[in-house]
């Protein structure tokens, strides 16, 4: 699971700014999941993507949040006009195929909104 | 959707003792149940998992049991060591969404 890369590891944004979080899955993995973890809480599912497709975004807020996983390059979680409540750790996980259930997590991006 | 309950929220044991963490789930269609260990400021690490066609799985000091009828599963750690101290999360795979639903976590402290 050390192969899932996320950057930046720490991100500080002022209220109203945009945050862009990047995730490169493990080699050979084409499925990416984003989760959010608030302090002292469990992880909450946000969105599930395959290359060039959003499969399930039911856990993502309808406004200000978007995600993509282009044909080339990392998956990106974008948060527009950040608010203090967006402060959290954002983890991505990858898996090789729908039939393979295991999800391996990246190190996370800790977003702080001031 | 799936709902996963986990308890206890905190667990303190003496080094060498066993630790048991229990979870229940709501969706009878869920068929994959992983356990993750998360140290402070680190990523969740998959430590063991079980699928619904198996009742028990063991890996050295760690074992997981699954009771599909009762919809609960448990993590057992034997001969605990201080390095086992961490937050442990259970999860269930929501087959309709392909997303993991996590429990709220158990903070395990192993006293030397």
């Amino acid at each position: 699971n050390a192969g899932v890369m996320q950057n930046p590891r720490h991100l500080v944004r002022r209220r109203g700014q945009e945050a862009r979080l990047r995730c490169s899955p493990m080699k050979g993995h084409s499925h990416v999941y984003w989760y959010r973890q608030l302090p002292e809480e469990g992880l909450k599912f946000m969105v599930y993507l395959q290359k060039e497709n959003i499969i399930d975004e039911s856990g993502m807020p309808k406004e200000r949040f978007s995600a993509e996983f282009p044909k080339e390059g990392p998956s990106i979680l974008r948060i527009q006009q950040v608010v203090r409540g967006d402060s959290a750790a954002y983890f991505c996980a990858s898996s090789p195929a729908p039939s393979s259930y295991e999800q391996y997590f990246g190190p996370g991006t800790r977003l702080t909104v001031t | 959707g799936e709902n996963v309950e986990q308890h206890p929220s905190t667990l303190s044991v003496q080094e060498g003792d066993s630790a048991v963490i229990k979870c229940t789930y709501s969706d009878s269609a869920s068929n994959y149940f992983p356990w993750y260990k998360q140290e402070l400021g680190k990523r969740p690490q998959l430590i063991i998992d079980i699928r619904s066609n198996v009742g028990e799985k063991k890996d050295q000091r760690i074992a997981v049991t699954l009771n599909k009828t009762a919809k609960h599963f448990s993590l057992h750690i034997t001969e605990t060591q201080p390095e086992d101290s961490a937050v442990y999360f259970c999860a269930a795979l929501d087959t309709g969404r392909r997303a993991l639903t996590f429990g709220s976590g158990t903070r395990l402290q192993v006293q030397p």
Side-chain angles (χ1 to χ4, degrees):
Chain A
N1 64 352
V4 180
M5 306 296 292
Q6 287 187 252
N7 67 81
R9 296 290 307 277
H10 300 274
L11 182 61
V12 180
R13 285 287 178 265
R14 291 199 180 99
R15 279 179 297 171
Q17 291 185 319
E18 179 179 289
R20 277 186 187 234
L21 289 62
R22 294 174 183 77
C23 169
S24 296
M26 287 179 72
K27 189 174 182 180
H29 288 195
S30 57
H31 300 260
V32 166
Y33 308 80
W34 286 93
Y35 294 85
R36 177 163 64 177
Q37 185 176 35
L38 295 171
E40 305 296 320
E41 293 189 15
L43 293 94
K44 304 290 187 197
F45 166 75
M46 298 181 74
V47 60
Y48 163 37
L49 308 103
Q50 295 176 26
K51 285 280 187 182
E52 298 185 280
N53 280 307
I54 297 175
I55 306 302
D56 182 349
E57 56 183 349
S58 59
M60 200 154 66
K62 294 285 187 285
E63 296 179 356
R64 302 189 298 108
F65 285 73
S66 62
E68 62 177 6
F69 190 14
K71 188 176 180 181
E72 302 290 337
S75 174
I76 296 174
L77 179 67
R78 183 180 176 207
I79 311 172
Q80 295 178 291
Q81 300 174 334
V82 296
V83 301
R84 289 227 172 102
D86 296 333
S87 296
Y90 292 83
F91 289 94
C92 81
S94 72
S95 69
S99 59
S100 175
Y101 295 153
E102 295 88 351
Q103 294 183 22
Y104 297 96
F105 283 82
T109 293
R110 278 150 188 84
L111 172 66
T112 302
V113 179
T114 61
Chain B
E2 177 68 278
N3 183 50
V4 176
E5 302 280 342
Q6 180 173 350
H7 59 94
S9 56
T10 60
L11 179 59
S12 183
V13 300
Q14 291 295 125
E15 183 177 358
D17 287 350
S18 295
V20 180
I21 302 170
K22 298 183 179 182
C23 289
T24 60
Y25 62 98
S26 61
D27 186 354
S28 56
S30 290
N31 59 356
Y32 174 67
F33 307 92
W35 287 87
Y36 287 85
K37 174 184 179 183
Q38 187 177 32
E39 297 176 40
L40 189 63
K42 301 283 182 67
R43 76 184 77 194
Q45 279 189 295
L46 178 65
I47 57 171
I48 195 167
D49 56 16
I50 191 166
R51 304 199 181 200
S52 57
N53 57 349
V54 175
E56 184 173 357
K57 184 176 177 181
K58 191 172 181 181
D59 182 3
Q60 299 183 344
R61 297 186 297 108
I62 295 173
V64 58
T65 58
L66 171 65
N67 183 326
K68 280 209 73 180
T69 304
K71 289 192 279 189
H72 67 70
F73 55 114
S74 301
L75 177 71
H76 305 251
I77 306 174
T78 59
E79 300 171 22
T80 54
Q81 301 166 3
E83 51 265 38
D84 294 330
S85 296
V87 179
Y88 290 80
F89 291 98
C90 63
L93 185 68
D94 186 326
T95 53
R97 298 166 67 193
R98 299 292 308 172
L100 290 171
T101 300
F102 283 83
S104 54
T106 297
R107 184 175 301 279
L108 173 65
Q109 181 130 22
V110 180
Q111 307 285 353

